[in-house]
Amino acid sequence: MITITASAGGYVLRPLLVLGYTWTLNARNNIHPLVGSASPAVTVRPATLRSGTLRLLFANEQQAAAAELVHSLGSALTLADSDRLSAGMTYHPTGRIEIALDPETRSRWIVSVDFQAVAP
């Protein structure tokens, strides 16, 4: 079961599926060339938390519209997926929130959200 819970307002979304979940981490190490040395100095820093795009399938237009609304409120959201524990995170939408009619079923809806994780 997949749930997305908003920290403000107590909203809970239950998409049918996560159609896509792509993310990247950005390494933040800095390499400093040293004059007169073949070996650089390295400043080691941990990588950022995940950022990417979620693609969520909803059963109908009303649920997709609710997902659009909840993602536009400005609160943190928590994703939990009982089948994929590694997918769990707390995140904020950061860019596009897109809603589209599923071209295959023409009755289900897809909501895509750019995100930045704020907690694993």
Side-chain angles (χ1 to χ4, degrees), residues 3 73 76 112:
T3 59
L73 292 175
S112 299

Side-chain angles (χ1 to χ4, degrees), residues 6-29:
S7 62
Y11 297 103
V12 177
L13 303 172
R14 290 188 176 83
L16 296 173
L17 290 170
V18 174
L19 294 176
Y21 183 27
T22 58
W23 73 79
T24 58
L25 306 176
N26 291 312
R28 299 185 308 160
N29 298 328

Side-chain angles (χ1 to χ4, degrees), residues 60-79:
N60 56 52
E61 184 177 3
Q62 293 77 18
Q63 290 177 3
E68 177 187 38
L69 173 69
V70 168
H71 280 93
S72 66
L73 292 175
S75 70
L77 296 119
T78 301
L79 170 68

Side-chain angles (χ1 to χ4, degrees), residues 54-94:
L54 279 171
R55 292 185 63 241
L56 307 165
L57 180 68
F58 289 91
N60 56 52
E61 184 177 3
Q62 293 77 18
Q63 290 177 3
E68 177 187 38
L69 173 69
V70 168
H71 280 93
S72 66
L73 292 175
S75 70
L77 296 119
T78 301
L79 170 68
D81 185 339
S82 60
D83 293 331
R84 290 179 186 82
L85 298 179
S86 66
M89 66 173 170
T90 299
Y91 68 96
H92 281 275
T94 58

